[in-house]
Structures are given as C-alpha cells and as structure tokens.
Amino acid sequence: MQKLLNFSEKTGLTLLVPFIKIGMKDEPGKQVIEILKLIGLPALALIIFFSLWGFASTKIKTSVGALPTPGYVWSQAKAMMADAKAEKVNKAEFKFYETTRAVLSDMLVKRHELEDAGQSTDAADAERAAFIATVQARVDELDAEEARLNSAIEAANVTAEEAGLAERRVAPYETSVLKFYSDAKSSLTSLISKN
C-alpha cells in the first residue's frame, strides 16, 4: 500500500491519496474530511452554479429571447452529438452509393467490351445481376431501417407531447438518419433501375 501511496503522490493523483490512507487505516476520520474537500466542495460548487443558472434563466430576458436553461443547453448538446453521429451514417451511405455506382459502371464497360469483341456476355450479365441483387438487399435493409426509425420518431413525439415539449426537436439522430436512408434508398433504387 505504501508503494501505491508514493506513486499517487509523485504522479499528482492526489485524489487517490485519502482513499489509499483509509485502506491503510491511517486516521480514517481525517481522510473522510479530505475526501469531502476534494470531491464534496467541487460537487457543491457545481450544484450551486447550476441552481443559480436555472434560476437566472427564468428571470433574464434579452432582445433575442430568454437565457437558456441548463436543461435546454444539455438537450441541444445531445442534439449536436446526434447530428454528428448521423453525419457519419450519411458519409457511409454516400460511400456505399459511390462504390456501387463505380462498380456498376465498370461492369457495364466490361459488358460493352465483350459485346464489341463478339464474345458472350452471359458471365458479365450474371455478375451484374448478382451485384444488383446485393444492392437490392441493401435497399430492403434501408426499408426496414426506415420503418424502425419512423416508429422511434413517432414514439418520441408522443412522449414529448405528453411531457409538454411538443415544440422541442425530438429524436434528432433518428430524424437525420431517416432522411439520409431515404435519400440513399432512392439513389440506389434509381441506380438499379438504370442498370
């Protein structure tokens, strides 16, 4: 235990020191007071800060509206994180679409080369049909995801209305991803129909 105590003191992990000393039975009462100083005071300061902020936000009015409450700021932070997550989905779907488009284009060129050379295009047609079936399977997956996301959005809207938050943006991740999936599905369907 002494080695752990020395390590904590030398590396600046002073938060661990009172816990280690309690484990060593070194003045437990004094260590509890030290823990309250290290953890309790900052926690109390945060509670006071957020309480004052919440109170002030109901009283302060500006030319652009009211001061946002801590809860509203937190909900907007979650919405921003959801948007970032949804943007990753969008990039993945775009990459899948671009790869699909490139592969189908290459297959079409290969088929035309075989045709121009007077060779059979049966193998190229079979390869293209298999690839289109794979793309159609992805379109079917997108259909299922759209249905799931629509259900999640509807449930979130009902919950928001029941809580009196109908004017707030609900299910931001699901809403954004639903749009991306819908766009991806229509793009892929269009690509399949052209090939």
Side-chain angles (χ1 to χ4, degrees), residues 153-168 170:
I153 291 168
E154 185 60 35
N157 284 330
V158 167
T159 303
E161 283 180 30
E162 289 171 355
L165 303 172
E167 74 282 351
R168 291 225 178 147
V170 296

Side-chain angles (χ1 to χ4, degrees), residues 72-113:
Y72 182 75
V73 171
W74 178 248
S75 71
Q76 292 306 302
K78 290 192 314 188
M80 286 174 56
M81 289 184 281
D83 283 344
K85 188 176 169 186
E87 195 59 37
K88 286 182 183 178
V89 171
N90 186 26
K91 286 180 182 178
E93 289 303 323
F94 178 77
K95 187 175 180 179
F96 181 81
Y97 171 77
E98 286 299 310
T99 302
T100 301
R101 190 180 59 74
V103 168
L104 285 171
S105 177
D106 290 345
M107 287 179 169
L108 192 60
V109 167
K110 182 179 174 182
R111 186 181 191 291
H112 286 307
E113 287 173 354

Side-chain angles (χ1 to χ4, degrees), residues 118-181:
Q119 298 176 352
S120 173
T121 60
D122 292 344
D125 290 340
E127 182 183 9
R128 193 171 114 260
F131 186 74
I132 287 176
T134 303
V135 174
Q136 184 60 51
R138 179 63 186 143
V139 170
D140 295 342
E141 288 174 14
L142 291 172
D143 273 337
E145 273 301 299
E146 273 187 312
R148 186 190 67 76
L149 289 169
N150 276 323
S151 295
I153 291 168
E154 185 60 35
N157 284 330
V158 167
T159 303
E161 283 180 30
E162 289 171 355
L165 303 172
E167 74 282 351
R168 291 225 178 147
R169 183 176 171 208
V170 296
Y173 169 73
E174 288 83 357
T175 304
S176 298
V177 171
L178 180 64
K179 181 185 179 325
F180 298 146
Y181 281 169

